Amino acid sequence: MNIMRKKSISQMISESNKKALSRSLGAFDLTLLGIGAIIGTGIFVLTGVAAAQHAGPSLIISFIISAIACGCAALCYAEFSSSVPIAGSVYTYTYATIGEIVAFLIGWDLMLEYLLAVSSVATGWSAYFQSLLSGFGIHIPAVLSSAPGAGKGGIVDLPAIVIILIITALLSKGIRESAKVNNIMVFIKLAVVILFIVAGVGYVKPDNWTPFMPFGFQGIMAGAATVFFAYIGFDAVSTAAEEVRKPQRDLPIGIISSLVICTTLYIIVSLVLTGIVPFAKLNVSDPVAFALHFVGQNTIAGLISVGAITGITTVLLVMLYGQVRISFAMSRDGLLPPVFSKVHPKFKTPFANTWLIGCIAAIISGIVDLNTLAELVNIGTLSAFTLVAIAVIILRKTHPNLKRAFKVPFVPVLPIITVFICGYLMISLSKVTWISFVIWIAIGFIVYFFYGRKHSKLNDEKKAG
């Protein structure tokens, strides 16, 4: 039984048409979907920690390095998504170019990445929400406000569970409805980010940018590995391929434009943030609001907190959406049980899959402290970016005549650069992260050999042949 067997692109497209999802998204929706995933925890939380602990004012260079890695990967995603407009993101691309076992393992990896991203981001949402409530004198009992092990005396993080279940209910009803809600929330958080820039720029003191590199180049790279979390999610745009009206045109636009817009905002916010507050004081969970409190702009700081809650909500929506679409694609190929690919006759969504994944994410966020496991999200994303870059090179060799609405420039040089940058950032992650990652992949091997390999749809084709 060949574990490196590949699935033809024509076959993938044919199968996607049989289990049709509703095609209702355009380039504008995809751009806002990408912004919804990218601007959230990164800009409202990680900027302060990365500046205080790693990069100082040179945080802008950390963001630029991460953006280059993501930008190179984004070009690779854009070529694939316009050539192979199938749900499943890099899992689907790997299946068509490298082989089934590698495709399964990267899909397995992405499932964990998105699941942990949803759970950990929900924990951050809970913290901001409770902070907002406390401003009105409302306090959730300690036992219901944090997960065990978080050091706050809690037994369950109830707000985190509730917000995930609300997002799950929204996604289960349809992508058109979800996209409308996402678009509204994205506009709100973009307005809040711009408000911070406008309100804060007048308080910038250039002296705060000295020393510019307090931790040296190593600090910049450590900062880049940390803020990389801020960029994960643009790849979730590619998971929407089967719900886009004109995927060959709209997917590359959505992927690249969302990344450009978010990178620009990250750099400006980092400059203003470190210009207002000495970087050593930014080791807080709400650095953007903290900076405005620091200069006495308390009313605007309150609005920033509301924007942060809105921003983090859109990240939850897009991350959960991406997880469901990847497991949907794997199930359709027979590598996961059929329940994951069953489409609801009325809503045209993977209804059961959405609720199953949503409930698991809610439980994890409610009872598990994810501070250590959150880095797994980064290593999972970097692995996916590395594979999609390799897959582009292979696809150019194996399918030279494939219609491509968008082509990565300078192949194979640019994809190889992507592999090296992502590899360097992966090396910067902790030993615990690597051990956890290897354990999860080992579990994936077991699941594949005991279930996926036997139930793969390619087995049925071989028998029919």
Side-chain angles (χ1 to χ4, degrees):
M1 197 174 291
N2 184 11
I3 62 173
M4 296 303 291
R5 54 195 171 186
K6 302 178 185 69
K7 202 162 191 180
S8 71
I9 293 173
S10 59
Q11 180 184 358
M12 289 180 173
I13 294 174
S14 174
E15 289 179 355
S16 70
N17 292 331
K18 292 178 183 177
K19 287 192 174 182
L21 299 172
S22 175
R23 289 193 178 272
S24 54
L25 301 179
F28 182 72
D29 297 310
L30 291 173
T31 299
L32 294 187
L33 198 68
I35 295 172
I38 298 169
I39 292 184
T41 306
I43 205 164
F44 293 114
V45 179
L46 289 180
T47 45
V49 175
Q53 296 183 3
H54 301 298
S58 62
L59 176 65
I60 61 167
I61 300 179
S62 297
F63 271 117
I64 291 170
I65 290 171
S66 289
I68 290 171
C70 291
C72 292
L75 295 175
C76 297
Y77 271 98
E79 175 166 330
F80 258 112
S81 62
S82 65
S83 309
V84 191
I86 311 296
S89 183
V90 68
Y91 156 76
T92 299
Y93 310 152
T94 306
Y95 211 161
T97 55
I98 300 177
E100 185 173 271
I101 179 64
V102 180
F104 179 88
L105 290 176
I106 197 60
W108 182 255
D109 164 47
L110 288 173
M111 285 174 63
L112 179 68
E113 171 202 326
Y114 281 117
L115 188 65
L116 291 182
V118 170
S119 301
S120 58
V121 170
T123 302
W125 185 97
S126 174
Y128 263 102
F129 181 69
Q130 291 178 58
S131 176
L132 185 66
L133 289 181
S134 65
F136 295 98
I138 303 171
H139 300 279
I140 297 174
V143 293
L144 301 177
S145 62
S146 65
K152 299 178 182 178
I155 59 172
V156 65
D157 192 337
L158 186 60
I161 291 176
V162 171
I163 187 60
I164 289 180
L165 293 179
I166 290 173
I167 295 295
T168 301
L170 178 63
L171 282 172
S172 67
K173 294 297 178 66
I175 185 57
R176 181 68 259 172
E177 293 76 10
S178 302
K180 286 179 181 177
V181 173
N182 178 73
N183 293 355
I184 293 169
M185 290 192 291
V186 166
F187 278 120
I188 292 172
K189 72 177 175 182
L190 284 177
V192 167
V193 170
I194 294 170
L195 175 63
F196 166 75
I197 294 170
V198 173
V201 70
Y203 295 95
V204 169
K205 296 179 180 179
D207 289 347
N208 287 332
W209 292 329
T210 305
F212 185 69
M213 295 172 55
F215 304 99
F217 183 73
Q218 186 176 357
I220 290 175
M221 294 309 297
T226 301
V227 300
F228 192 82
F229 186 92
Y231 285 107
I232 68 165
F234 80 80
D235 59 324
V237 175
S238 66
T239 67
E242 289 181 41
E243 290 154 285
V244 181
R245 289 190 293 270
K246 298 178 180 178
Q248 284 81 6
R249 186 199 71 176
D250 294 344
L251 279 164
I253 293 174
I255 291 171
I256 296 170
S257 60
S258 62
L259 188 62
V260 169
I261 291 169
C262 293
T263 299
T264 303
L265 290 175
Y266 274 143
I267 291 171
I268 297 172
V269 167
S270 298
L271 276 171
V272 174
L273 189 65
T274 54
I276 295 175
V277 185
F279 70 88
K281 296 182 179 181
L282 285 172
N283 194 18
V284 294
S285 60
D286 55 346
V288 176
F290 173 80
L292 292 175
H293 281 303
F294 187 80
V295 294
Q297 292 283 355
N298 296 325
T299 301
I300 298 178
L303 292 174
I304 294 294
S305 294
V306 174
I309 292 172
T310 305
I312 295 172
T313 303
T314 63
V315 176
L316 285 171
L317 189 151
V318 180
M319 292 297 177
L320 185 58
Y321 172 84
Q323 212 285 0
V324 170
R325 268 40 182 192
I326 288 170
S327 51
F328 169 85
M330 293 175 72
S331 171
R332 186 170 59 192
D333 292 333
L335 302 180
L336 289 178
V339 66
F340 289 98
S341 57
K342 187 175 181 181
V343 176
H344 194 283
K346 178 181 178 181
F347 301 127
K348 299 296 181 183
T349 63
F351 191 87
N353 183 353
T354 304
W355 275 103
L356 179 61
I357 298 299
C359 288
I360 293 173
I363 292 170
I364 293 174
S365 69
I367 64 174
V368 180
D369 179 32
L370 289 170
N371 288 334
T372 302
L373 291 180
E375 273 198 2
L376 274 171
V377 179
N378 284 3
I379 198 169
T381 305
L382 287 164
S383 301
F385 286 2
T386 300
L387 271 182
V388 80
I390 294 171
V392 161
I393 299 173
I394 295 174
L395 192 69
R396 287 286 185 94
K397 295 291 185 182
T398 57
H399 295 77
N401 299 320
L402 181 67
K403 184 179 178 181
R404 294 169 170 85
F406 178 88
K407 295 182 73 173
V408 179
F410 310 117
V411 173
V413 176
L414 193 143
I416 291 173
I417 291 173
T418 305
V419 172
F420 276 108
I421 295 176
C422 291
Y424 190 88
L425 290 174
M426 288 173 74
I427 293 171
S428 301
L429 295 171
S430 69
K431 184 178 179 180
V432 173
T433 299
W434 275 97
I435 293 172
S436 303
F437 178 68
V438 170
I439 291 173
W440 178 251
I441 293 299
I443 295 172
F445 267 107
I446 295 171
V447 173
Y448 173 75
F449 281 103
F450 281 92
Y451 183 89
R453 187 179 60 145
K454 297 177 182 178
H455 294 84
S456 171
K457 293 292 177 66
L458 293 185
N459 285 338
D460 298 335
E461 291 164 18
K462 187 176 181 181
K463 291 174 184 177

CSV table of all heavy atoms in Angstrom, one decimal, residues 38 58 78 85 120 130 135 158 183 190 203 209 243 245-246 266 285 331 345 388:
chain,number,residue,atom,x,y,z
A,38,ILE,N,-5.6,38.1,11.3
A,38,ILE,CA,-4.2,38.6,11.6
A,38,ILE,C,-4.2,39.7,12.7
A,38,ILE,O,-3.4,39.6,13.6
A,38,ILE,CB,-3.6,39.2,10.3
A,38,ILE,CG1,-3.5,38.1,9.3
A,38,ILE,CG2,-2.2,39.7,10.6
A,38,ILE,CD1,-3.1,38.6,7.9
A,58,SER,N,13.4,48.0,18.5
A,58,SER,CA,13.7,47.3,17.2
A,58,SER,C,12.6,46.3,16.9
A,58,SER,O,12.7,45.5,15.9
A,58,SER,CB,15.0,46.7,17.2
A,58,SER,OG,15.1,45.7,18.2
A,78,ALA,N,-0.8,31.9,-2.7
A,78,ALA,CA,-1.6,32.6,-3.7
A,78,ALA,C,-1.6,31.8,-5.0
A,78,ALA,O,-2.6,31.6,-5.7
A,78,ALA,CB,-1.1,34.0,-4.0
A,85,PRO,N,-8.3,25.5,-6.4
A,85,PRO,CA,-9.2,26.1,-5.5
A,85,PRO,C,-10.1,25.2,-4.7
A,85,PRO,O,-11.3,25.1,-4.9
A,85,PRO,CB,-10.0,27.0,-6.4
A,85,PRO,CG,-10.0,26.2,-7.7
A,85,PRO,CD,-8.7,25.6,-7.8
A,120,SER,N,-6.4,29.2,22.9
A,120,SER,CA,-5.6,30.2,23.6
A,120,SER,C,-6.1,31.6,23.3
A,120,SER,O,-6.0,32.5,24.3
A,120,SER,CB,-4.1,30.0,23.1
A,120,SER,OG,-4.0,30.2,21.7
A,130,GLN,N,-13.2,40.3,31.0
A,130,GLN,CA,-13.4,40.5,32.4
A,130,GLN,C,-12.8,41.8,32.9
A,130,GLN,O,-13.4,42.4,33.8
A,130,GLN,CB,-12.6,39.3,33.1
A,130,GLN,CG,-13.3,38.0,33.0
A,130,GLN,CD,-12.5,36.9,33.7
A,130,GLN,OE1,-12.3,36.9,34.9
A,130,GLN,NE2,-12.1,35.9,32.9
A,135,GLY,N,-14.5,47.3,34.9
A,135,GLY,CA,-14.6,48.8,34.8
A,135,GLY,C,-16.0,49.3,35.2
A,135,GLY,O,-16.2,50.4,35.5
A,158,LEU,N,-15.1,30.3,32.3
A,158,LEU,CA,-16.4,30.3,31.7
A,158,LEU,C,-16.6,31.2,30.5
A,158,LEU,O,-17.1,30.8,29.5
A,158,LEU,CB,-17.5,30.6,32.7
A,158,LEU,CG,-18.9,30.5,32.3
A,158,LEU,CD1,-19.3,29.1,31.8
A,158,LEU,CD2,-19.9,30.9,33.5
A,183,ASN,N,-17.0,41.1,8.9
A,183,ASN,CA,-16.7,42.3,8.2
A,183,ASN,C,-17.0,43.5,9.1
A,183,ASN,O,-16.2,44.5,9.2
A,183,ASN,CB,-17.5,42.5,6.9
A,183,ASN,CG,-17.1,41.5,5.9
A,183,ASN,OD1,-16.1,40.7,6.0
A,183,ASN,ND2,-17.8,41.4,4.8
A,190,LEU,N,-10.3,48.0,13.0
A,190,LEU,CA,-9.4,48.9,12.2
A,190,LEU,C,-9.6,50.3,12.6
A,190,LEU,O,-8.6,51.1,12.7
A,190,LEU,CB,-9.8,48.7,10.7
A,190,LEU,CG,-9.3,47.5,10.0
A,190,LEU,CD1,-9.8,47.4,8.5
A,190,LEU,CD2,-7.8,47.4,10.1
A,203,TYR,N,2.2,62.0,21.3
A,203,TYR,CA,2.9,61.7,22.6
A,203,TYR,C,4.2,61.0,22.4
A,203,TYR,O,4.9,60.6,23.4
A,203,TYR,CB,2.0,60.9,23.5
A,203,TYR,CG,0.8,61.7,24.0
A,203,TYR,CD1,-0.4,61.5,23.3
A,203,TYR,CD2,0.8,62.5,25.1
A,203,TYR,CE1,-1.6,62.1,23.7
A,203,TYR,CE2,-0.3,63.2,25.5
A,203,TYR,CZ,-1.5,63.0,24.8
A,203,TYR,OH,-2.7,63.7,25.2
A,209,TRP,N,13.2,55.6,21.8
A,209,TRP,CA,13.7,54.6,20.8
A,209,TRP,C,15.2,54.3,21.0
A,209,TRP,O,15.8,53.6,20.1
A,209,TRP,CB,13.4,55.1,19.4
A,209,TRP,CG,11.9,55.2,19.0
A,209,TRP,CD1,11.0,54.4,19.5
A,209,TRP,CD2,11.3,56.1,18.1
A,209,TRP,NE1,9.7,54.7,18.9
A,209,TRP,CE2,9.9,55.8,18.1
A,209,TRP,CE3,11.8,57.2,17.3
A,209,TRP,CZ2,9.0,56.5,17.3
A,209,TRP,CZ3,10.9,57.9,16.6
A,209,TRP,CH2,9.5,57.5,16.5
A,243,GLU,N,-15.7,28.2,-1.2
A,243,GLU,CA,-16.8,29.1,-0.9
A,243,GLU,C,-16.6,30.5,-1.5
A,243,GLU,O,-17.2,31.4,-1.1
A,243,GLU,CB,-17.0,29.2,0.6
A,243,GLU,CG,-17.6,27.8,1.2
A,243,GLU,CD,-17.2,27.6,2.6
A,243,GLU,OE1,-16.0,27.3,2.9
A,243,GLU,OE2,-18.1,27.7,3.5
A,245,ARG,N,-16.6,32.9,-4.9
A,245,ARG,CA,-17.3,32.9,-6.3
A,245,ARG,C,-16.3,32.8,-7.4
A,245,ARG,O,-16.5,32.1,-8.4
A,245,ARG,CB,-18.1,34.2,-6.4
A,245,ARG,CG,-19.3,34.3,-5.5
A,245,ARG,CD,-20.2,35.5,-5.8
A,245,ARG,NE,-19.5,36.8,-5.5
A,245,ARG,CZ,-19.6,37.4,-4.3
A,245,ARG,NH1,-20.4,36.8,-3.4
A,245,ARG,NH2,-19.0,38.5,-4.1
A,246,LYS,N,-15.2,33.5,-7.3
A,246,LYS,CA,-14.2,33.5,-8.4
A,246,LYS,C,-12.8,33.2,-7.7
A,246,LYS,O,-12.0,34.2,-7.6
A,246,LYS,CB,-14.1,34.8,-9.2
A,246,LYS,CG,-15.4,35.2,-9.9
A,246,LYS,CD,-15.4,36.5,-10.6
A,246,LYS,CE,-16.7,36.8,-11.3
A,246,LYS,NZ,-16.6,38.2,-12.0
A,266,TYR,N,0.9,47.0,11.8
A,266,TYR,CA,1.8,46.5,12.8
A,266,TYR,C,3.0,47.4,13.0
A,266,TYR,O,3.4,47.7,14.2
A,266,TYR,CB,2.3,45.1,12.5
A,266,TYR,CG,1.3,44.0,13.0
A,266,TYR,CD1,1.1,42.8,12.2
A,266,TYR,CD2,0.6,44.1,14.2
A,266,TYR,CE1,0.2,41.8,12.6
A,266,TYR,CE2,-0.3,43.1,14.6
A,266,TYR,CZ,-0.5,42.0,13.8
A,266,TYR,OH,-1.3,41.0,14.1
A,285,SER,N,-0.4,42.8,29.6
A,285,SER,CA,-1.3,42.0,28.7
A,285,SER,C,-2.1,42.9,27.8
A,285,SER,O,-2.7,42.4,26.9
A,285,SER,CB,-2.3,41.2,29.6
A,285,SER,OG,-3.1,42.0,30.4
A,331,SER,N,-11.5,14.5,5.8
A,331,SER,CA,-12.6,13.5,5.9
A,331,SER,C,-13.1,13.1,4.5
A,331,SER,O,-13.4,12.0,4.2
A,331,SER,CB,-13.7,14.1,6.8
A,331,SER,OG,-14.8,13.2,6.7
A,345,PRO,N,-27.9,19.9,4.8
A,345,PRO,CA,-28.7,20.2,3.6
A,345,PRO,C,-29.3,21.6,3.6
A,345,PRO,O,-29.5,22.1,2.5
A,345,PRO,CB,-29.9,19.1,3.7
A,345,PRO,CG,-29.9,18.7,5.2
A,345,PRO,CD,-28.5,18.8,5.7
A,388,VAL,N,4.4,24.3,1.9
A,388,VAL,CA,3.8,24.9,0.8
A,388,VAL,C,4.8,25.5,-0.2
A,388,VAL,O,4.6,25.5,-1.4
A,388,VAL,CB,2.7,26.0,1.2
A,388,VAL,CG1,3.4,27.3,1.6
A,388,VAL,CG2,1.7,26.2,0.1
